[in-house]
Every structure is written in C-alpha cells, then in structure tokens.
Amino acid sequence: MSDIGITVKKSEDFSEWYTQVILKSELADYAPVKGCMIFREHSYAIWEKIQEIFNAKIKRTGHRNVYFPMFIPESFLKKEAEHFQGFIPQVAWVTVGGDSQLEEKLAIRPTSETIMYSTYAKWIRSWRDLPIKLNQWNSVVRWETESTRLFLRTREFLWQEGHTAHATKEEADQEVKEILDAYKDVIENYLAVPVLIGKKTEREKFAGALYTTALEAMMPDGKALQMGTSHQLGQNFSKVFNIKFLDKNEKERYVWQTSWGFSTRMIGAMVMLHGDDKGLMLPPKVAPIQVVIIPIPYKGVDAKVIQSRAREIHERLQKSTISVVLDDRAEYTPGWKFNAWELKGVPIRIEIGPRDVKKKQVTLARRDTSERIALKEDDVVNEVTKLLEEIQSNLFNRAKKSLEESIATVETYDEFKEIFRKKGGFIRACWCSNSACEEKIKDETGATIRTVPLEKEKIFSKCVYCGEEAKEVVYFAKAY
RNA sequence: GGGGCUGUCGGCUAGCUUGGUCUAGGCUUGGAGACUUGGGCUCUCUAGACCCCGGUUCAAAUCCGGGCAGCCCCA
C-alpha cells in the first residue's frame, strides 16, 4: 500500500480522512490564498450536475436565471440594519481602483439581497410586474477568520441565490415552502443526503428575515451541517429599498420577498457521509462517471478479443443514458486501476477478462458493497441501469438510518449534556421558546438549536433547561 | 475570540535537541525503457526540495524575530 490511496481510517481520524479524500480523489485543491480552494474537474462536474437538476426544477415553476454584479456600494448594504449587522464582520471591501482611492468603498457581495432589491424597486410598479422570481449562480465572499475547511467553510464559495418578490405574504410563504421542497428533493434524492427540515429560531435566522427555514444533515463526526436555507424576508427589505406596487384596488403596497440558497458545501456533506476508507463514494445520480470499464488482458490469451469486447460494451452503454469510461490504458495494471477509480468514487466497475470472454459475460463490482456480480453480456445495459438505481437508494437508506440513529430524545439537561458530550448528533428536546435558555445551552455545551420542525411535535416534557412549561420540540446539535 | 502544533523534492518523510563532509538521505510519484496485467507487480536509468523576509554567527535546513500558509484543541 503506497501513499496514493487514503492512509488513515475514516473511523480513526475523520478530519485527516476528509482532507485526504478530497485531495487524492482530485475533487479539489488548496489555493495560494488562505481559505480559498480550487474546484477541480471532478468536483466541478458534480456541481454542474447539481446545477442541471436544480435549474430544471426551478424553471418549471417559473424562475429565471440572471447575473448581478459582485460589487455592492457600502450604502446599499447599510440600508437594512439587521442585515448589515449580520454580515459586516465578514465583508471584504474594495477601496482602491487602479491607483485611485474609491469615494465609496465597495463590498464584494457576501449575498445579493441589497444590490438586487435596489434594482427590483426600479422594475416593480404595478401588480402586473409581480411576481419576480430570479435566481443566480455565482460566488460570494465571506471573509472567515476562523479555521476554514475545504468545501465546508471557505472565504469564497459557489452557490445559487434565489430572490423573489410577491404581492402577498401568502404567496411568499408558498414560495419559501416550494423551494424548501425542491431543496429536499435535490439533497435527498440526488445527493442521497437525508435531512431534518424546519424553521430556525430567532437567534439562528437569516439576518433581515422574518423567518428562515432550513435543511440540516448529520455528519459522521456528530456535527450538523446546514444544506440549504429558504427565507421569508417579509417586507423588511421592500420597506428600506422602497419596492412598492399599485394593487388591483389602486392601493400602494410593499412587496413580500423571499431569498434562498444552497452552496458547494453540500458536496462536502456528500463526501463525508458516503465516503469510506477507499475514498469517495458518489451517488450515481450526481456521479460524473457512473461506470468504468477495465479490460484485463493476459499475454498469450488473445488480447485483441478482450479489447474489442470492452469497446463493444462501452459503446452499448454510451448509447444508453449511462455515463461510462473505458480505461484501456496499457501502462497501468488492473489492480492499480481498481484502486484509482474506487478512490474517485465511481459507483460501478465492469471487468472484462479472459474468463468473462469465454463465458460471454462481464464482471460487475459495486462501489458501495464491494460485491462482484457476473452478468450475461446482453443484459449489461438493463442490469447496470437497475444497479445504479439500487446503489443510489442503498446510499440514501444507509445514511437515513444513521441520521435516525443520531437523534437522541432527552428530558433532562443532565442527559442532554451526557449524550451530547459522548456522541454529539441531534438532541431532541422540549424548549420553552425563550432565547435565554437557548443562549445558555450554547454557552455551556456548544449546542445550538438547528431546527424547529415545521409540523409541531408533541411536547413530552418541561423545557430541558429551565424546567418551565415547554412550547415546542426542537433539535439541538453542534453546527459545522 | 483564546491556546497549541507544523512547514524539507509533486506526495510522505530522515536530518533540527547539541549550527560544521547536508555537495540534504529514503520511500513514493513524474519521465525513458524492459517485463507484466483478475486488487496499487518487478527491475534498470533519470528528474526533483530546506515556505518567505530579516537577524545572530567564521558558518544556518538546524538558533532568534516577523510574515504567509496548513492543522488541532477550547469558547
């Protein structure tokens, strides 16, 4: 075993394992600037898949893509006080252009509410102009000073941000929910990452929002990772940016708005959740390469026959919708290739050797179970298609099971602390809805309320901290 | 926000405590070739490094200061 592969076990040194998987599978690399990363072909291809899937979904529901500039005048950012307070510590500024000092410094967007909404004010006059449902794929900069992690926390990251304006609160509520459902579909059914869905508390909500909904996943090290957020902004921004319209009754009204986003950090979640000691394990639906074919020639046996069989199978799969690569490089041994492609997370490997040729079969190897299956050549396309689906659901089911196992229900604060310290995960507890208790728990344990279920769960005890009457069941965890 | 650790060929590292044959060693990778191919084969040849800036000293990979970058722990 050389250093080409992963040299630590996921279960023994999770942090080191995570870094190695990303670097060695060539998903990403470090950039020369602190906290910045390079998305290499492998991770960018995954991101493109995600874009494809999500674009199709939101376009079906009337959203369109746009691009707004990355520079935001300071005065714009300051208009909504809460928003400004929330982002100011992390904003990177441009103060000089060429050799002249700028009159007003420009923020490099940490998010685009302000620049987009100042423009929405121009575009919206009448109820006929509504709704506006725009999305953009871009990068944002948040100048993290704490330690940064590849994909999870970087100073610049890729994301999509959707920004809508509606005539009524109900419509905006509906939009928040619709996007939340779209996110759930992408994250669970494509990335195979199961999530808890709910609202954020006042303390955790987006700066400037009326309320925030979010999707939270649980990582193998017991920490929760936020996979996406969808905010009801109310009229907070429309009032400060003066986004008004005349309704059908000729009455002037402020619009109701939403914003929502998910970022490349979800790729990090996928890596952590599905990867193993051999490296990456990609869910078939987002894997840039779903199948790799490795011919196994022997000297003395007719190598040409094996080559041509491999090509034939390759062609057959290419004609279907399966994304397939034929690795017929002579310089590497089959064993070397097995390891290399497993490291990259390819879901299915097809081996074709003398034994297979003789029996008119191919040998399939599953990345998720390491199982080897012999298949009749003629069944390849059908069987591979079926198997890809099976691997997809196997990955999700496994992760779902571990999510469920990570949730511990507690009634007392002692239990809370004990379980939280020992294994992390989600702690399900009753809460009095008082921010003071939430704050104390965070100070004393580091756990925050990750989510308040949308459909209230049945109260089963007093508030876990203060012992007063509880108002809701919530999920605590340490956050990434 | 606080504390700690680290930085040597592309990767992993030896050397640093006690400055001096270090002209920086090994493994791996990269390049050329041979031999092979059902789990990272083997052999030959070859290329490749002391993070940056400053200081101490006859002499710095080694000691000191600063910077940059990475990692860990606590809040």
Side-chain angles (χ1 to χ4, degrees), chain A residues 367-467:
Chain A
R367 177 66 179 86
D368 61 337
T369 59
S370 302
E371 191 187 349
R372 272 185 158 98
I373 309 155
L375 264 192
K376 285 280 155 231
E377 273 183 14
D378 291 337
D379 300 337
V380 166
V381 174
N382 280 338
E383 290 300 317
V384 166
T385 306
K386 257 194 261 172
L387 192 56
L388 286 171
E389 276 166 31
E390 200 180 314
I391 292 172
Q392 180 79 31
S393 58
N394 182 41
L395 290 186
F396 178 74
N397 292 337
R398 269 195 216 171
K400 177 90 178 168
K401 189 160 168 273
S402 77
L403 170 68
E404 278 159 8
E405 284 166 1
S406 80
I407 302 171
T409 298
V410 306
E411 295 188 14
T412 68
Y413 193 45
D414 283 339
E415 268 181 287
F416 185 117
K417 285 186 288 192
E418 169 78 4
I419 293 174
F420 186 69
R421 191 176 46 80
K422 266 201 195 139
K423 68 174 192 81
F426 283 116
I427 306 276
R428 180 170 169 267
C430 295
W431 176 51
C432 63
S433 295
N434 190 339
S435 295
C437 288
E438 185 186 14
E439 192 72 35
K440 286 267 172 52
I441 292 172
K442 183 187 161 115
D443 287 347
E444 291 169 22
T445 67
T448 51
I449 299 177
R450 300 322 303 157
T451 191
V452 184
L454 291 179
E455 305 215 341
K456 289 207 171 187
E457 295 181 10
K458 196 165 174 289
I459 307 285
F460 55 84
S461 75
K462 302 286 186 190
C463 173
V464 73
Y465 190 82
C466 66

Side-chain angles (χ1 to χ4, degrees), chain A residues 25 43 154 163 244 362 480:
Chain A
S25 68
S43 65
T154 48
H163 295 271
K244 289 183 290 196
V362 298
Y480 254 96

Side-chain angles (χ1 to χ4, degrees), chain A residues 314-334:
Chain A
H314 181 227
E315 238 169 78
R316 226 186 271 181
L317 286 166
Q318 265 187 327
K319 279 185 192 146
S320 70
T321 54
I322 296 161
S323 142
V324 57
V325 162
L326 170 63
D327 185 358
D328 56 1
R329 292 174 295 178
E331 319 79 275
Y332 294 104
T333 61

Side-chain angles (χ1 to χ4, degrees), chain A residues 154-304:
Chain A
T154 48
R155 282 182 170 171
E156 181 192 16
F157 57 87
L158 305 181
W159 77 342
Q160 60 67 218
E161 49 175 332
H163 295 271
T164 67
H166 308 265
T168 65
K169 176 168 189 300
E170 291 66 36
E171 265 183 66
D173 283 334
Q174 181 53 38
E175 172 76 12
V176 169
K177 184 75 175 70
E178 181 183 300
I179 294 298
L180 197 63
D181 290 342
Y183 282 172
K184 181 180 158 71
D185 182 46
V186 172
I187 294 166
E188 293 202 327
N189 297 330
Y190 291 84
L191 302 182
V193 175
V195 285
L196 293 184
I197 295 181
K199 278 192 188 180
K200 290 291 182 183
T201 61
E202 275 302 298
R203 191 184 180 285
E204 298 283 330
K205 73 170 192 191
F206 178 72
L210 213 56
Y211 65 82
T212 289
T213 61
L215 308 96
E216 296 275 336
M218 181 49 61
M219 298 300 111
D221 61 352
K223 289 198 250 174
L225 187 68
Q226 185 173 291
M227 300 290 286
T229 51
S230 178
H231 317 289
Q232 161 65 280
L233 301 177
Q235 295 177 311
N236 291 345
F237 286 90
S238 63
K239 283 180 179 161
V240 293
F241 283 97
N242 211 22
I243 315 177
K244 289 183 290 196
F245 68 102
L246 278 185
D247 71 9
K248 289 179 186 172
N249 304 316
E250 301 185 314
K251 228 183 138 201
E252 192 172 68
R253 293 187 188 284
Y254 287 108
V255 300
W256 293 80
Q257 292 184 274
T258 79
S259 72
W260 27 274
F262 66 59
S263 76
T264 36
R265 118 189 287 219
M266 60 171 47
I267 296 174
M270 195 174 72
V271 171
M272 287 196 278
L273 222 49
H274 302 310
D276 64 11
D277 293 343
K278 290 175 174 178
L280 268 187
M281 198 183 295
L282 295 177
K285 284 188 187 172
V286 292
I289 299 167
Q290 296 172 308
V291 177
V292 60
I293 301 172
I294 300 178
I296 300 162
Y298 271 90
K299 207 181 177 174
V301 184
D302 197 347
K304 282 205 180 123

